[in-house]
Amino acid sequence: DIVMTQGALPNPVPSGESASITCRSSKSLVYKDGKTYLNWFLQRPGQSPQLLTYWTSTRASGVSERFSGSGSGTYFTLKISRVRAEDAGVYYCQQVREYPFTFGSGTKLEIK
Amino acid sequence: QVQLQQSGAELVKPGSSVKISCKASGYTFTSYDMHWIKQQPGNGLEWIGWIYPGNGNTKYNQKFNGKATLTADKSSSTAYMQLSSLTSEDSAVYFCARWGSSGWYFDFWGPGTMVTVSS
């Protein structure tokens, strides 16, 4: 199975500052079609996860431009610009390059 | 609008089985894979498998072979997951999630069903 390893954040992050979350995969997530199958989700307390980005950097419908995904191969980053209280929660990266789909262990973001 | 409505919390005994449901609305149920994901208390997310309601095809995470069985009822637009031989390790919240229409992702999630295994 592909192992997804996420970095931690120096919580709490002051409102208005930026935060970057890292995610490493144990295998390249580039598929034969050239796309990189890495997704990011946010799970707010008591809620279901919400898709933020897919194909590494494509924002999902309705997601703020403050969220930007980047990376390639096995190293990825989700940057959140000008963090707000509503951004608090746990962020997960997920690979859908191959079965079984696997998630990172999550990175908690707290806002000050 | 797309909605996934899941059945209520379950308290079940070790060794028993439980069947939870995910009723879909707002889209053509038979045209999208439905996935199931496990989240243990305080833990991350674990992918269980998917079913394509159009023809009943399934794909499982090998870890859940023999534990989870996915089915779908086209007439009621409802997906089901049965969990068998329950132990405390099966206590978790279980989400259903629809596979995306234009990419490889889960675009809509149900609210989750909490299953507690306790004697």
Side-chain angles (χ1 to χ4, degrees):
Chain A
D1 299 359
I2 297 178
V3 177
M4 307 297 290
T5 304
Q6 294 185 227
L9 283 171
N11 285 315
V13 177
S15 181
E17 298 287 302
S18 293
S20 288
I21 302 170
T22 61
C23 173
R24 285 184 187 272
S25 58
S26 61
K27 179 178 174 177
S28 173
L29 300 186
V30 181
Y31 192 57
K32 54 188 175 183
D33 61 2
K35 290 188 171 77
T36 303
Y37 287 88
L38 186 281
N39 302 333
W40 286 98
F41 294 88
L42 162 62
Q43 186 175 29
R44 297 186 176 96
Q47 295 187 16
S48 309
Q50 168 197 354
L51 179 69
L52 296 175
T53 64
Y54 58 97
W55 294 335
T56 301
S57 59
T58 302
R59 267 186 298 275
S61 175
V63 173
S64 169
E65 291 182 353
R66 297 186 299 107
F67 293 89
S68 58
S70 62
S72 61
T74 62
Y75 188 78
F76 306 92
T77 303
L78 178 72
K79 182 179 179 181
I80 311 160
S81 302
R82 305 181 302 282
V83 299
R84 304 176 179 173
E86 69 207 48
D87 301 334
V90 180
Y91 290 79
Y92 294 94
C93 59
Q94 179 208 23
Q95 68 81 19
V96 289
R97 161 67 175 79
E98 66 181 40
Y99 293 119
F101 298 158
T102 48
F103 294 85
S105 56
T107 300
K108 190 170 186 177
L109 172 61
E110 297 174 351
I111 310 297
K112 182 166 61 177
Chain B
Q1 70 283 24
V2 173
Q3 287 192 327
L4 301 176
Q5 185 177 348
Q6 295 190 235
S7 49
E10 300 269 6
L11 173 60
V12 292
K13 294 195 183 309
S16 68
S17 298
V18 68
K19 192 172 186 178
I20 60 180
S21 65
C22 171
K23 182 172 176 57
S25 60
Y27 71 98
T28 303
F29 176 66
T30 51
S31 297
Y32 295 81
D33 296 343
M34 188 71 78
H35 293 244
W36 291 86
I37 297 98
K38 176 182 181 181
Q39 185 169 41
Q40 289 179 294
N43 284 6
L45 302 161
E46 202 168 11
W47 176 75
I48 296 171
W50 59 255
I51 183 167
Y52 181 66
N55 57 15
N57 282 356
T58 56
K59 175 73 175 179
Y60 294 92
N61 181 339
Q62 275 196 322
K63 179 179 177 181
F64 291 91
N65 274 338
K67 170 62 65 178
T69 303
L70 304 182
T71 56
D73 177 7
K74 289 189 275 191
S75 67
S76 63
S77 299
T78 303
Y80 297 93
M81 179 173 66
Q82 179 161 322
L83 300 169
S84 61
S85 303
L86 292 165
T87 72
S88 59
E89 283 301 303
D90 299 314
S91 292
V93 175
Y94 293 87
F95 296 99
C96 59
R98 194 187 79 161
W99 194 234
S101 54
S102 57
W104 289 25
Y105 49 75
F106 306 135
D107 57 0
F108 291 94
W109 293 64
T113 294
M114 179 170 289
V115 174
T116 303
V117 183
S118 174
S119 54

